[in-house]
Amino acid sequence: MTTFRELLGRRLIVADGAMGTMLQDHEPTLDDFDGHEGCNEVLNVTRPDIVRGVHDAYFAVGVDCVETNTFG
């Protein structure tokens, strides 16, 4: 298995993406936010399917790793 350091030596690595925008594309409801409108972190608990869908979208275009959103 190739290590992260080896990959850095061979190709470009992008370490950021549009997580918030992609979450909002799913049009989460106030119930999805558990009453905390716009608090994307809570979607990790209330709607992990949305978060997983964003991760899957990144994997579909060929990224090697994804991490869960951390806004606050």
Side-chain angles (χ1 to χ4, degrees):
M1 181 172 189
T2 306
T3 68
F4 184 72
R5 286 182 182 263
E6 290 171 328
L7 287 174
L8 283 172
R10 293 197 318 235
R11 67 182 188 182
L12 177 66
I13 303 218
V14 177
D16 194 14
M19 176 63 91
T21 303
M22 292 180 76
L23 289 171
Q24 294 304 314
D25 281 345
H26 290 271
E27 299 181 357
T29 66
L30 187 56
D31 286 339
D32 294 335
F33 288 116
D34 198 26
H36 303 284
E37 186 173 10
C39 182
N40 289 323
E41 292 89 344
V42 79
L43 296 175
N44 292 303
V45 175
T46 62
R47 292 296 307 275
D49 58 303
I50 290 177
V51 177
R52 191 175 309 109
V54 172
H55 290 187
D56 289 345
Y58 277 104
F59 287 125
V61 296
V63 301
D64 295 313
C65 65
V66 181
E67 73 174 330
T68 303
N69 56 306
T70 54
F71 297 97

